[in-house]
C-alpha cells in the first residue's frame, strides 16, 4: 500500500522557532488569520500549532472569576454534563455541575452545587506547566430534575454504608422540584457522594492559558483574547475515579468574559444555577464520514505526562487509515521527542449502544515507523532488547525506522499487528468546521484492545483540514522542512539538532 503524507515535516519547525517558509509573505498575501493565500489548509493548521507566541500560560494561574463549559461534555461512564465554576479572591469557590440524560445536554437529570476552598501550592513536578493545588469541600448539594433521577440516585445513596447515608432518602419519597438535598457537609461530618462517583480531584491540577483568536473576516482586523482553565482529568475507570490524582487535563473551561465567539452555549450556562440547569441549543447529528484529513487544534496532554499533536488521513473508498503522532516534552509542543507513523484498516461503524451519539469502530494497525527526535529517545531505543524495536543499536536522531518487522517497539509500548476498539463522534462547530472526536485513551496507559475496554468518552477534537482525495500522497519525514530545489519543487533540508544538555536544562528551568 502506498504511503500518504502532506508536508508533515512543517510541524517540526518548532525547534527553530521561526516561520516555516523562507520566502517572506507580504500583507497582500495573507488573510487576517495569518494563513498564506497559497498555503494548503492542513499545512496552515500544523504551522498554526507551533505559533506559541499567541499562547501564554499564566503562572501562577489566576483563577478568580467565572469559568464555563463551551458545550456539552462527555465524561467516562458515560456522563453528559456542563460546568460553571466561580472562584473568589478569598480562595473560596462555588462550582455547578449539571448532568443530563442525553449527549446534547438538553434533558437535565440532576445538578450539583459544590462549595469549598482552594489553595494553590507549587509548580507540578509531574505535569510540566501545571500547578498543584489543595482543596477542601465544605458542602455539596443535589437538586433532582425528574422523579426518575431522584429514584435512581437516591437508591444508590441509600445503599452506601456509613456516614449516615443509609436511609438518607426514605423509600417512596416523591420528587419535589427545586428542593436541594445536602449530600456532603464538612460541618456535620457527612459524605454521601461516593455512590455518585463524585470527586473534585480535578481541582488538584490547574493550568490557565491565554491565547488570541483572530476576528472574523467580516470584522475589523485584530484578535480577541480567550482564556482557558484546564483542570485535572477524570480516570477512565469508574472504580479508580475516587482515588485518582490527575496527571492530564479534561476539556478546558473558558472565561465567561474572555471566551470564543460565537458561543451560543456560553451565555446559557453562565446564567444557570442548580434550580435552572442550562438547556443547550439543539444540534443535528452528523453522519460518520471519515474520509479526509484531520489535525489537532491544540497541543494535547494525556495522563502520564504525554504532550502530543495528531494528524490522521482516512481513505473511505477502501477503509484504510494513516496516523501521525508527534510527541513532545513540553506543554506547548515545541520540543519534539519522537514521532510515530502508523497505518492499517478500519471497519464500518455502527451506532454505540452505550454512548448515545457515538459510533463504534475497530481499527487494525498493521505497520508503523518511528523517528527519534532527541538524544534521550535515541539512547532509550538503542538500549532496547535485540529484536524488540527496529534494528538494534542503529537508532539516530531524525532518522525514521520501520518497526513492522520487529512486531512493533516494546520500549514505546507499540505492538503489531494490533486491533483497537474505538468510539468516534462527529460534530460541527459554530465556525462550520467539521470536528472529529476519537475515544479517550485509558488512563492507565493500556490499549483498548478488547471490546469491553472500548472508550466511553472522547479526546480533544480534531479539525478537518481537507476532504477526501482518493489518492495517497508521498510521505515526508518529520526531520525536514520545505525548501525549493533548483527545479522549483519542494525540496528537503534537515532541522538543526537540539543538544541534549540544553534540552535537559530547559526541562528543569522552565514552567512551559
Amino acid at each position: 500500500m502506498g504511503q500518504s503524507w502532506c508536508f508533515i515535516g512543517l510541524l517540526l519547525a518548532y525547534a527553530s522557532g521561526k516561520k516555516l517558509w523562507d520566502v517572506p509573505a507580504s500583507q497582500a498575501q495573507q488573510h487576517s488569520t495569518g494563513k498564506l493565500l497559497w498555503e494548503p489548509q492542513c499545512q496552515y493548521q500544523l504551522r498554526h500549532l507551533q505559533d506559541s507566541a499567541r499562547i501564554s500560560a499564566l503562572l501562577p494561574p489566576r483563577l478568580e472569576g467565572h469559568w464555563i463549559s463551551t458545550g456539552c461534555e462527555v465524561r467516562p461512564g458515560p456522563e453528559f454534563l456542563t460546568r460553571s465554576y466561580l472562584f473568589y479572591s478569598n480562595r473560596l469557590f462555588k462550582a455547578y455541575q449539571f448532568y443530563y440524560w442525553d449527549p446534547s445536554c438538553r434533558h437535565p437529570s440532576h445538578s450539583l452545587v459544590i462549595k469549598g476552598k482552594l489553595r494553590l501550592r507549587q509548580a507540578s513536578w509531574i505535569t510540566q506547566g501545571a500547578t498543584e493545588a489543595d482543596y477542601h469541600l465544605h458542602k455539596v448539594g443535589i437538586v433532582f430534575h425528574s422523579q426518575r433521577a431522584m429514584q435512581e440516585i437516591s437508591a444508590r445513596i441509600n445503599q452506601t454504608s456509613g456516614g449516615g447515608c443509609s436511609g438518607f432518602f426514605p423509600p417512596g419519597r416523591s420528587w419535589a422540584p427545586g428542593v436541594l438535598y445536602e449530600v456532603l457537609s464538612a460541618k456535620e461530618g457527612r459524605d454521601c457522594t461516593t455512590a455518585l462517583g463524585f470527586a473534585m480531584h480535578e481541582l488538584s491540577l490547574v493550568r490557565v492559558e491565554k491565547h488570541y483568536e483572530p476576528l472574523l473576516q467580516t470584522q475589523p482586523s485584530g484578535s480577541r483574547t480567550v482564556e482557558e482553565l484546564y483542570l485535572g482529568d477524570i480516570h477512565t475507570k469508574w472504580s479508580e475515579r475516587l482515588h485518582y490524582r490527575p496527571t492530564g487535563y479534561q476539556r478546558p473551561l473558558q472565561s465567561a468574559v474572555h471566551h470564543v465567539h460565537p458561543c451560543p452555549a456560553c451565555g446559557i450556562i453562565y446564567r444557570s444555577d442548580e434550580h435552572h440547569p442550562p438547556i443547550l441549543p439543539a444540534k443535528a447529528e452528523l453522519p460518520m464520514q471519515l474520509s479526509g484529513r484531520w489535525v489537532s487544534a491544540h497541543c494535547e496532554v494525556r495522563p502520564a505526562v504525554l504532550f502530543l499533536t495528531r494528524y490522521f488521513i482516512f481513505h473511505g473508498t477502501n477503509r484504510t487509515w494513516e496516523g501521525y503522532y508527534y510527541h513532545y516534552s513540553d506543554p506547548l509542543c515545541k520540543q519534539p521527542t519522537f514521532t510515530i507513523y502508523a497505518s492499517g484498516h478500519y471497519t464500518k461503524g455502527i451506532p454505540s449502544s452505550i454512548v448515545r451519539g457515538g459510533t463504534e469502530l475497530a481499527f487494525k494497525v498493521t505497520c508503523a515507523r518511528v523517528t527519534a527526535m532527541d538524544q534521550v529517545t535515541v539512547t532509550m531505543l538503542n538500549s532496547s532488547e535485540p529484536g524488540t524495536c527496529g534494528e538494534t543499536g542503529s537508532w539516530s536522531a531524525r532518522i525514521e525506522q520501520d518497526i513492522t518487522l520487529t512486531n512493533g517497539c516494546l520500549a514505546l509500548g507499540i505492538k503489531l499487528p494490533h486491533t483497537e476498539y474505538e468510539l468516534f463522534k462527529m460534530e460541527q462547530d459554530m465556525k462550520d468546521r467539521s470536528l472529529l472526536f476519537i475515544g479517550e485513551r485509558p488512563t492507565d496507559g493500556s490499549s483498548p484492545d478488547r471490546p469491553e475496554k472500548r472508550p466511553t468518552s472522547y479526546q480533544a477534537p480534531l479539525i478537518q483540514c481537507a476532504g477526501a482525495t482518493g489518492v495517497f500522497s508521498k510521505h515526508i519525514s518529520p526531520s525536514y522542512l520545505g525548501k525549493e530545489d533548483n527545479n522549483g519543487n519542494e525540496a528537503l533540508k534537515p532541522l538543526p539538532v537540539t543538544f541534549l544538555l540544553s534540552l535537559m536544562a530547559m526541562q528543569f528551568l522552565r514552567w512551559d
Side-chain angles (χ1 to χ4, degrees):
M1 180 179 67
Q3 306 304 336
S4 171
W5 188 223
C6 179
F7 299 133
I8 201 66
L10 299 171
L11 183 63
L12 273 299
Y14 291 143
S16 66
K18 298 178 181 179
K19 285 190 175 182
L20 299 172
W21 306 101
D22 292 340
V23 181
S26 65
Q27 279 189 320
Q29 288 179 300
Q30 300 186 20
H31 293 291
S32 61
T33 61
K35 182 180 183 298
L36 306 179
L37 288 175
W38 45 270
E39 185 177 23
Q41 184 62 34
C42 291
Q43 290 180 354
Y44 165 68
Q45 182 61 30
L46 291 169
R47 180 172 66 84
H48 198 53
L49 288 173
Q50 87 168 72
D51 188 11
S52 62
R54 67 187 181 92
I55 301 176
S56 59
L58 305 181
L59 300 170
R62 294 183 58 184
L63 299 183
E64 183 178 345
H66 196 166
W67 304 86
I68 53 176
S69 301
T70 55
C72 192
E73 302 177 12
V74 185
R75 284 185 173 179
E79 290 180 330
F80 308 112
L81 78 157
T82 57
R83 296 176 290 159
S84 177
Y85 291 4
L86 297 94
F87 295 93
Y88 303 102
S89 58
N90 59 359
R91 299 192 298 184
L92 295 176
F93 70 86
K94 182 179 183 180
Y96 294 108
Q97 294 183 352
F98 308 103
Y99 292 83
Y100 301 82
W101 299 109
D102 66 301
S104 299
C105 290
R106 291 185 51 80
H107 303 288
S109 164
H110 62 282
S111 298
L112 298 179
V113 55
I114 306 132
K115 297 180 180 180
K117 195 167 189 175
L118 180 73
R119 182 176 67 89
L120 298 178
R121 293 174 52 207
Q122 61 190 19
S124 173
W125 286 94
I126 300 176
T127 306
Q128 186 184 356
T131 298
E132 295 177 354
D134 290 327
Y135 72 92
H136 178 69
L137 297 182
H138 296 162
K139 55 177 66 177
V140 176
I142 186 169
V143 175
F144 301 107
H145 302 304
S146 69
Q147 180 70 37
R148 174 189 168 191
M150 182 173 185
Q151 289 176 341
E152 291 187 5
I153 295 175
S154 62
R156 297 208 306 261
I157 292 178
N158 285 340
Q159 294 172 3
T160 304
S161 60
C165 300
S166 180
F168 183 73
F169 289 98
R173 175 179 286 184
S174 60
W175 169 55
V179 174
L180 186 144
Y181 302 94
E182 197 170 83
V183 291
L184 182 148
S185 172
K187 185 177 180 180
E188 298 179 11
R190 180 177 64 250
D191 183 359
C192 302
T193 61
T194 302
L196 302 175
F198 169 82
M200 286 297 287
H201 297 327
E202 61 187 280
L203 296 178
S204 62
L205 196 69
V206 179
R207 177 178 170 89
V208 174
E209 284 188 0
K210 178 187 292 186
H211 63 89
Y212 301 94
E213 178 189 50
L215 297 177
L216 299 177
Q217 293 186 10
T218 57
Q219 299 175 331
S221 61
S223 60
R224 176 186 291 110
T225 300
V226 176
E227 293 184 359
E228 293 184 318
L229 170 61
Y230 288 83
L231 297 175
D233 62 305
I234 308 299
H235 202 288
T236 53
K237 193 172 182 180
W238 183 277
S239 60
E240 299 293 330
R241 180 182 292 194
L242 300 182
H243 313 288
Y244 172 66
R245 293 295 173 174
T247 56
Y249 305 116
Q250 56 185 305
R251 179 173 172 171
L253 301 175
Q254 293 194 357
S255 166
V257 178
H258 302 292
H259 60 78
V260 296
H261 288 79
C263 180
C266 292
I268 298 173
I269 298 171
Y270 173 78
R271 293 187 294 269
S272 300
D273 59 31
E274 68 270 32
H275 302 295
H276 307 90
I279 310 296
L280 301 192
K283 278 188 175 182
E285 288 193 12
L286 299 182
M288 185 57 59
Q289 297 177 344
L290 287 180
S291 295
R293 300 166 184 259
W294 306 80
V295 66
S296 295
H298 305 283
C299 181
E300 300 171 7
V301 184
R302 287 183 182 171
V305 202
L306 292 177
F307 305 103
L308 77 159
T309 56
R310 297 172 292 154
Y311 177 81
F312 285 94
I313 307 168
F314 295 99
H315 307 279
T317 53
N318 57 2
R319 293 204 195 107
T320 58
W321 69 279
E322 302 170 80
Y324 298 82
Y325 305 82
Y326 302 92
H327 291 259
Y328 302 84
S329 61
D330 68 296
L332 290 181
C333 289
K334 295 284 287 182
Q335 301 166 20
T337 53
F338 63 93
T339 297
I340 299 173
Y341 165 84
S343 63
H345 295 77
Y346 62 93
T347 63
K348 182 179 180 180
I350 60 172
S352 173
S353 59
I354 298 175
V355 185
R356 287 182 54 189
T359 299
E360 296 181 351
L361 304 95
F363 278 74
K364 187 163 187 178
V365 188
T366 54
C367 66
R369 301 193 293 266
V370 171
T371 305
M373 299 301 295
D374 68 351
Q375 196 58 44
V376 173
T377 306
V378 169
T379 301
M380 178 187 70
L381 296 180
N382 279 329
S383 301
S384 301
E385 290 291 328
T388 63
C389 188
E391 187 176 344
T392 305
S394 65
W395 290 93
S396 299
R398 297 178 173 82
I399 304 299
E400 185 179 71
Q401 270 209 48
D402 194 321
I403 59 171
T404 306
L405 294 180
T406 54
N407 297 321
C409 179
L410 186 61
L412 297 177
I414 303 171
K415 180 181 178 181
L416 296 174
H418 180 68
T419 299
E420 294 194 345
Y421 296 87
E422 271 294 358
L423 180 74
F424 278 35
K425 178 180 70 168
M426 291 190 67
E427 287 186 359
Q428 197 167 44
D429 66 10
M430 296 309 299
K431 297 179 181 179
D432 293 328
R433 300 179 301 183
S434 294
L435 305 179
L436 175 62
F437 292 80
I438 298 179
E440 187 173 3
R441 306 295 296 182
T443 305
D444 62 8
S446 64
S447 171
D449 54 4
R450 301 191 305 274
E452 58 269 24
K453 294 185 68 175
R454 191 187 301 272
T456 56
S457 56
Y458 303 99
Q459 301 177 55
L462 303 173
I463 298 174
Q464 187 172 38
C465 57
T469 61
V471 296
F472 288 85
S473 58
K474 185 170 67 175
H475 168 64
I476 295 179
S477 168
S479 307
Y480 296 91
L481 296 178
K483 187 179 181 180
E484 290 187 355
D485 61 16
N486 294 332
N487 299 319
N489 299 318
E490 289 287 332
L492 302 174
K493 67 175 184 178
L495 281 169
V497 177
T498 304
F499 292 102
L500 174 62
L501 188 60
S502 58
L503 177 60
M504 293 176 64
M506 291 174 69
Q507 293 285 47
F508 284 103
L509 294 177
R510 294 181 55 189
W511 282 54
D512 279 308

